[in-house]
Amino acid sequence: MSKYKLISLDMDGTLLDDNKKISSQTLNVLHLLQKEGKNIVIATGRPYKGYLLYHDILSLNSYVVCYNGAMIFNQNNEVIYS
């Protein structure tokens, strides 16, 4: 994956399993990719509060696209687009 600089993931049905959990294997891969300098962006139809349930688990230092693109938050949880 060295040619990719940004990886964007949806939450429901992609990042989360049927039980709304993130597998340890997925977390390990995401953290490895982040250490390699890849930007991991969560893009979801959920509101920001729906993402925050997973914020600490993910431990990503990246942007979050919520409300199907209607709002974008930076690493400091500040709205940078609405």
Side-chain angles (χ1 to χ4, degrees):
M1 269 210 216
S2 62
K3 67 180 180 178
Y4 299 104
K5 295 179 182 178
L6 183 139
I7 299 160
S8 180
L9 299 167
D10 180 37
M11 291 183 66
D12 297 300
T14 304
L15 182 62
L16 304 176
D17 65 18
D18 292 340
N19 298 314
K20 305 295 183 206
K21 303 283 185 198
I22 304 169
S23 74
S24 59
Q25 181 181 1
T26 298
L27 279 175
N28 290 337
V29 169
L30 291 175
H31 292 151
L32 176 66
L33 290 169
Q34 187 169 255
K35 284 181 185 176
E36 290 178 359
K38 309 298 184 212
N39 294 301
I40 310 295
V41 175
I42 302 300
T44 183
R46 289 174 174 231
Y48 193 66
K49 285 185 179 183
Y51 160 76
L52 284 178
L53 299 170
Y54 300 93
H55 177 76
D56 291 338
I57 297 166
L58 287 166
S59 309
L60 298 175
N61 185 22
S62 64
Y63 294 89
V64 179
V65 180
C66 294
Y67 298 104
N68 291 321
M71 293 184 88
I72 301 173
F73 296 81
N74 67 12
Q75 300 90 329
N76 299 317
N77 301 324
E78 300 166 329
V79 176
I80 60 166
Y81 174 82
S82 177

